[in-house]
Amino acid sequence: MIELSVVIPVFNEEKNISTIYNRCISVANAISDYFEIIFVNDGSKDDSFQLIHQLAKQDSRVKYISLSRNFGHQIAVSAGLDICAGNYAVIIDADLQDPPEIINDLYTKAKEGFDVVYAKRNTRKGETLFKTITAKFFYRILTKITSINIPLDTGDFRIISRKVIEVLKQMPEQQKFLRGQIAWVGFNQASVSYNRDERADGKSGYTIRKMVRLAFDGITSFSNLPLRIATIAGFLVSGITFCVAMYALYARFISRDYVPGWTSIIISVLFIGGVQLITIGIIGEYISRISSNVRNRPLYVISDTNIDYSKVNEKSSQ
Ligand code: UDP
Ligand code: MG
């Protein structure tokens, strides 16, 4: 029986692999003799996979799955959680921004009877001002417009219990926003604070495009408010348009004070056009997500692994 699984998503992290491995091993050793370290290679283009493979040969506690291409951080983590065997799983970045030593605090707290213990960042070192500000702004908006309580200033660095892992496995949506899903699951949740370090080496795999995508997935997965705003905006604009129409009729037939009004026409046409496009765009965001879920494709494709899948399936069917 495995007590602790450490899930590490890896995308072009060749310079960090051996450090994260060593630091995780020494922390996990102090916690239990029965642990595993799961590297999920998310389509790295550098030598990350060769290094992981090498580690797995030397150390049987190292497990890996290699995805057939880059599926993105959230899906890589989900893949790791799907196959982990531990009573507890820790999700940690490979770039050492989340100090592995904190795992000890997370585990101790979890043992006090919490199913989710997330690591809350006191400070974030070495992040661009842009990233810090957009993240702050986004999470504050997100908590306002969703009904679930997503903790502020946390990433995915956290420990979750087997109970939570099993629920997550039943949440098959294509748009993964683990922070939201884990908050949605409920149970006893707690936090420990830490100071987020700078990325040890290499560069961030989160491009602006991936960040925007994550933000949209987070909102559309947990809130229908944007759709409601579209409806409200529709009514509002119709109301205004109705008043303007009344005035136009009044000017034409009663006061007979009508100058051919190019300005008002062009403004109202542009305004209504804009609102319509925004509304259609919002609806489109939701529809594209519905259609990708209806296609029912697997969330990821595994190209290589040292995990015995017959055992994993046996376990989950028990
Ligand atoms: N990552 C991944 N797939 C991606 C992008 C990132 O598996 O498409 C991994 C990456 O190797 C790291 C973690 O996710 O372990 C966090 O990514 P990163 O440090 O690049 O993001 P940032 O800290 O800049 O938000
Ligand atoms: Mg990072």
Side-chain angles (χ1 to χ4, degrees):
M1 198 62 191
I2 288 188
E3 175 65 6
L4 183 72
S5 304
V6 181
V7 174
I8 313 176
V10 173
F11 177 58
N12 298 341
E13 304 277 9
E14 59 183 5
K15 299 207 180 84
N16 298 320
I17 300 273
S18 72
T19 324
I20 185 95
Y21 165 76
N22 287 323
R23 282 172 65 180
C24 283
I25 288 282
S26 52
V27 179
N29 257 330
I31 289 176
S32 166
D33 288 339
Y34 304 100
F35 67 86
E36 60 181 359
I37 297 197
I38 300 178
F39 285 102
V40 183
N41 173 33
D42 185 19
S44 298
K45 298 240 181 319
D46 62 2
D47 285 336
S48 300
F49 181 64
Q50 284 74 356
L51 294 170
I52 294 167
H53 200 247
Q54 196 60 37
L55 286 176
K57 265 201 233 155
Q58 296 161 6
D59 184 342
S60 63
R61 296 166 300 184
V62 172
K63 306 273 174 356
Y64 63 82
I65 32 182
S66 192
L67 305 184
S68 60
R69 63 172 169 84
N70 180 242
F71 279 84
H73 170 239
Q74 300 283 305
I75 292 184
V77 173
S78 306
L81 293 177
D82 280 348
I83 50 90
C84 77
N87 293 329
Y88 290 92
V90 167
I91 304 167
I92 186 169
D93 284 357
D95 60 356
L96 301 158
Q97 283 195 289
D98 311 324
E101 292 66 35
I102 306 292
I103 294 177
N104 206 358
D105 302 352
L106 294 174
Y107 180 76
T108 315
K109 189 95 190 169
K111 274 291 180 191
E112 287 171 20
F114 294 98
D115 288 290
V116 179
V117 182
Y118 46 86
K120 200 172 163 70
R121 324 181 253 250
N122 280 333
T123 55
R124 314 172 65 142
K125 264 192 260 170
E127 285 307 2
T128 58
L129 193 63
F130 175 74
K131 187 146 189 166
T132 322
I133 292 176
T134 47
K136 265 216 148 59
F137 189 63
F138 171 68
Y139 286 108
R140 271 149 193 86
I141 290 190
L142 193 66
T143 31
K144 286 247 153 55
I145 67 173
T146 54
S147 45
I148 50 161
N149 218 344
I150 298 173
L152 293 174
D153 301 320
T154 60
D156 285 311
F157 185 25
R158 57 188 64 204
I159 192 167
I160 55 180
S161 71
R162 176 54 43 192
K163 266 198 254 175
V164 176
I165 300 169
E166 291 304 319
V167 182
L168 286 179
K169 284 202 222 163
Q170 290 167 26
M171 297 171 80
E173 50 254 60
Q174 299 272 329
Q175 288 74 36
K176 287 279 165 194
F177 186 65
L178 284 165
R179 280 154 242 194
Q181 293 193 336
I182 293 174
W184 181 90
V185 169
F187 297 124
N188 292 333
Q189 310 212 352
S191 68
V192 298
S193 317
Y194 77 113
N195 296 321
R196 191 160 161 89
D197 286 337
E198 279 174 51
R199 165 176 266 283
D201 215 318
K203 62 179 198 314
S204 172
Y206 257 99
T207 52
I208 300 228
R209 202 185 144 118
K210 282 181 182 168
M211 273 167 63
V212 170
R213 209 190 163 83
L214 182 70
F216 271 61
D217 283 345
I219 292 173
T220 52
S221 303
F222 291 98
S223 173
N224 287 325
L225 188 73
L227 283 173
R228 207 163 309 139
I229 290 177
T231 318
I232 293 170
F235 277 113
L236 214 66
V237 172
S238 308
I240 295 169
T241 317
F242 181 76
C243 297
V244 174
M246 282 298 133
Y247 173 74
L249 289 173
Y250 168 82
R252 172 70 183 76
F253 294 111
I254 297 170
S255 74
R256 296 191 174 274
D257 165 26
Y258 65 101
V259 185
W262 181 80
T263 320
S264 59
I265 289 178
I266 205 75
I267 290 176
S268 48
V269 167
L270 290 178
F271 182 59
I272 294 174
V275 170
Q276 280 176 337
L277 285 180
I278 293 172
T279 316
I280 294 172
I282 293 173
I283 296 171
E285 291 292 332
Y286 282 85
I287 291 185
S288 72
R289 283 165 177 79
I290 295 173
S291 68
S292 74
N293 281 300
V294 168
R295 274 183 230 126
N296 220 352
R297 288 184 191 151
L299 199 56
Y300 49 85
V301 179
I302 295 175
S303 66
D304 198 355
T305 177
N306 65 346
I307 291 165
D308 185 353
Y309 262 82
S310 57
K311 283 214 184 105
V312 173
N313 292 335
E314 217 172 83
K315 218 149 115 252
S316 55
S317 63
Q318 267 170 14

